[in-house]
Amino acid sequence: MIITQSHTLPGAKGRNMLMDLTFEETNPHAPLLIFVHGFKGFKDWGTHHLVARYFAQNGYRFLKFNFSHNGTTPEDANDLTDMIAFSENTFSIELEDLQYVIDFACSGSVIPAVQSVCLIGHSMGGGISIVKAAEDKRVSRLITMASVASFRNLWPKEIEKQWKLAGVLNFTNKRTGQDMPVKSTLLDDLERNPGRLNVLARAADVQQPWLLLHGTADTVVLPSHAHDLKAMQPNARLALIPNADHVFGATHPYVQQDLPLALQELCRKAVDFLKDV
């Protein structure tokens, strides 16, 4: 039987992060995977629960969490409603959050038998996972899904000057139509930490086994990002999913009981990789 346990953990600036751990009841000490969601994402978006079950059924524990400033709240975990928190998010905050999650997982206080973790990061979360893998040796394996090769892929370069002048830039949530403000402190963070937050440069520092997964029909983060990352880290394995978009066929909400075909293929490739290294 598949079990899902819920936990709450303080994140950056003391803001709580919700997380859940999915595993097969007969395999409570299975290897641990930590899923890192992307920009305007959250742990319960779309198909994430089905992905968690897939990995649990294939011999892994799957931990997914909400970044502390991703726009969700403990009271409303299924939508982006806290625009104050969202506006104050930075990449360094997300790295701090991920550090807390890895510390929590490896402490042994709640999740038993964890000495190392595998990170699975999607889109912006892929970039965060690359940086963290490069600097934290408790990360034993890395899987990225449609990962950015630069955090600046999230907006047009030419708007940065006006963004700084205005102090805030609105990002439109295409699903809901809402304007989601992001303060220019996000740009300040990039400029204060040019080495740490250079995803391509950090890709060269990744020593762990790494699987790069990307859809050939991704128009949000172009497949060229995967090739750029592979060029920086030749030891990484690159697998392209034919005709897959940025979310590998998923939607939110997602009412079907089975994974989309492209996401099924991605999960199969990921499990094959994990069992091979």
Side-chain angles (χ1 to χ4, degrees), residues 41 59 65 105 160 230-231 248 274:
F65 70 100
E160 290 189 6
K230 168 69 173 175
F248 303 92
L274 290 168

Side-chain angles (χ1 to χ4, degrees), residues 226-270:
H227 293 288
D228 290 344
L229 290 166
K230 168 69 173 175
M232 292 299 292
Q233 183 44 264
N235 292 327
R237 303 185 192 181
L238 173 59
L240 298 176
I241 311 296
N243 304 313
D245 61 11
H246 187 59
V247 290
F248 303 92
T251 58
H252 183 82
Y254 188 83
V255 298
Q256 289 87 347
Q257 298 302 309
D258 297 318
L259 287 168
L261 292 178
L263 196 49
Q264 285 184 36
E265 182 176 352
L266 180 148
C267 289
R268 284 196 299 268
K269 289 182 180 298

Side-chain angles (χ1 to χ4, degrees), residues 76-193:
D76 189 359
N78 291 305
D79 224 329
L80 304 173
T81 57
D82 189 342
M83 292 300 98
I84 293 177
F86 186 87
S87 72
E88 296 175 347
N89 199 14
T90 67
F91 304 111
S92 290
I93 282 176
E94 296 203 340
L95 285 165
E96 182 180 350
D97 287 341
L98 184 52
Q99 180 76 33
Y100 290 139
V101 173
I102 296 173
D103 289 346
F104 169 82
C106 293
S107 69
S109 59
V110 177
I111 304 176
V114 178
Q115 282 78 46
S116 63
V117 301
C118 171
L119 297 182
I120 303 182
H122 176 246
S123 193
M124 182 188 69
I128 293 292
S129 298
I130 290 166
V131 174
K132 182 53 68 177
E135 64 185 21
D136 194 327
K137 298 311 177 186
R138 294 174 299 177
V139 179
S140 60
R141 289 169 289 183
L142 174 64
I143 298 172
T144 52
M145 305 163 52
S147 177
V148 297
S150 168
F151 290 128
R152 279 187 158 90
N153 179 76
L154 300 171
W155 58 83
K157 174 69 175 176
E158 59 269 20
I159 68 172
E160 290 189 6
K161 183 176 180 180
Q162 182 58 34
W163 188 355
K164 287 186 177 182
L165 287 172
V168 66
L169 177 70
N170 285 322
F171 288 80
T172 300
N173 187 326
K174 293 180 180 179
R175 178 175 58 85
T176 64
Q178 70 190 128
D179 285 334
M180 306 181 67
V182 178
K183 293 180 180 179
S184 57
T185 47
L186 188 79
L187 291 176
D188 296 338
D189 183 40
L190 283 171
E191 292 171 358
R192 285 196 305 268
N193 301 283

